[in-house]
Amino acid sequence: MRTTTGYDAPGDLAQREALLRAALDPLRIPRHVAIIMDGNGRWAEIRGLSRVEGHRAGREAIRRTLEAARECGIEILTLYAFSTENWRRPPQEVQALMDLLVETLGREAEELHRNGVRFRASGLLDEMPGAVRAALDQVVALTCRNTAITLNLALNYGGRRELTEAARRLARAAAAGHVRPEDITEEVLGRFLFAPDLPDPDLLIRTGGEQRLSNFLLWQVAYAELYFTDVHWPDFQKVHLLEAIASFQARDRRFGGLDCG
Ligand code: IPE
Ligand code: IPE
Ligand code: MG
């Protein structure tokens, strides 16, 4: 496993970025990359700043990563922004995160649109504050016809809740006679998930040093390649995304079958 410190000099970064760009195989770019953006709080603590400052700095990392993903030809970037468990944080932090989200969506909408980004959100959006829902709806509507890249923000997202909701909706459909239990396949269940039209992630990155899923995309990451880095999310640079893709390209994906290489 490759890990990086996040404290590289800018010159080194630019050089590493150029080398990696040249070395990547453009035909084997992961189609869908999902990121658990972790480490904002620790990034801030190290610097004697408030956790909210860490989240604010994390926003810049999102901007860089989205740009790098678009430049590489990644089709879908899913970012874990708020989990169903994150409501357990102090109310001031939760409020600050919601405010930051509304502010950012308002501020960035036009630029996302100009850059051809199709913006989506997946999670229990009905349970989000009204101001967040309104801001999300606006950006989704504005950008729905764009094709350069899909940015899928996982918000109030929890893998177990997603599967529970799918089970509930399937049970309702069965009770109403629309589906027979014996006809429920993986494909059918998949249609009841939050973003049924998106392919499964090929590569899952987690920053911040922890090596766990924290309830993220439990169904969809069945065969994703996992990449963990110690870099705190606000320190995540384009080069770190390129390093993750290089690691992905060096792997042999077998999906349980035999090596066909
Ligand atoms: C990730 O950073 C952002 C969210 C969960 C919203 P954290 O806030 O979890 O940062 P650490 O893990 O405490 O450093
Ligand atoms: C995962 O990070 C959730 C997001 C990045 C939104 P957490 O910081 O909430 O995860 P744990 O608590 O370390 O598992
Ligand atoms: Mg965390």
Side-chain angles (χ1 to χ4, degrees):
M1 186 189 60
R2 200 67 211 277
T3 58
T4 41
T5 61
Y7 292 104
D8 315 74
D12 293 349
L13 279 182
Q15 199 179 17
R16 258 166 54 210
E17 197 182 311
L19 285 171
L20 276 161
R21 263 185 214 287
L24 287 183
D25 177 352
L27 299 177
R28 288 175 54 236
I29 298 295
R31 187 172 171 211
H32 183 176
V33 175
I35 307 184
I36 302 174
M37 309 181 288
D38 197 23
N40 293 354
R42 282 163 285 166
W43 179 92
E45 263 162 48
I46 291 166
R47 290 161 178 78
L49 301 170
S50 70
R51 294 180 57 83
V52 176
E53 285 307 315
H55 298 312
R56 203 175 284 282
R59 179 168 67 175
E60 293 311 307
I62 293 181
R63 185 198 277 278
R64 287 192 294 272
T65 306
L66 177 62
E67 193 174 290
R70 199 162 44 88
E71 288 164 358
C72 288
I74 288 167
E75 282 178 44
I76 304 138
L77 180 68
T78 292
L79 300 178
Y80 201 9
F82 193 86
S83 76
T84 45
E85 288 74 33
N86 287 149
W87 297 107
R88 295 178 189 153
R89 298 200 176 187
Q92 310 88 286
E93 183 176 347
V94 170
Q95 187 59 51
L97 279 165
M98 297 300 149
D99 292 347
L100 196 61
L101 185 59
V102 172
E103 178 198 310
T104 307
L105 288 168
R107 224 177 61 177
E108 303 288 328
E110 281 304 326
E111 195 179 335
L112 288 170
H113 189 41
R114 251 199 320 279
N115 289 331
V117 178
R118 180 174 71 134
F119 178 83
R120 302 262 303 253
S122 42
L124 292 143
L125 304 180
D126 293 350
E127 297 173 12
M128 295 294 277
V132 173
R133 285 204 315 270
L136 290 170
D137 288 347
Q138 239 176 355
V139 188
V140 170
L142 176 71
T143 64
C144 65
R145 289 189 218 294
N146 293 339
T147 56
I149 187 169
T150 296
L151 171 61
N152 177 34
L153 209 59
L155 269 179
N156 196 18
Y157 177 87
R160 287 189 169 186
R161 267 303 290 281
E162 179 177 38
L163 290 168
T164 308
E165 293 296 319
R168 187 176 291 166
R169 289 172 54 207
L170 263 172
R172 269 197 211 114
H178 300 314
V179 62
R180 293 184 309 171
E182 55 273 29
D183 292 335
I184 298 174
T185 58
E186 290 184 10
E187 201 270 323
V188 170
L189 193 143
R191 278 189 235 142
F192 287 83
L193 301 177
F194 290 140
D197 54 320
L198 299 184
D200 289 342
D202 303 290
L203 171 63
L204 172 74
I205 300 171
R206 181 171 186 144
T207 64
E210 312 294 353
Q211 302 193 2
R212 56 178 171 246
L213 293 176
S214 301
N215 206 10
F216 192 39
L217 302 177
L218 299 180
W219 173 275
Q220 297 88 339
V221 298
Y223 269 102
E225 296 299 325
L226 309 181
Y227 182 89
F228 300 101
T229 170
D230 291 338
V231 174
H232 293 135
W233 177 248
D235 280 329
F236 198 78
Q237 308 292 329
K238 286 183 174 187
V239 72
H240 298 125
L241 180 69
L242 299 177
E243 280 173 349
I245 298 173
S247 166
F248 171 85
Q249 292 193 342
R251 301 182 192 188
D252 180 20
R253 300 185 83 192
R254 288 187 294 275
F255 299 98
L258 295 177
D259 189 356
C260 29

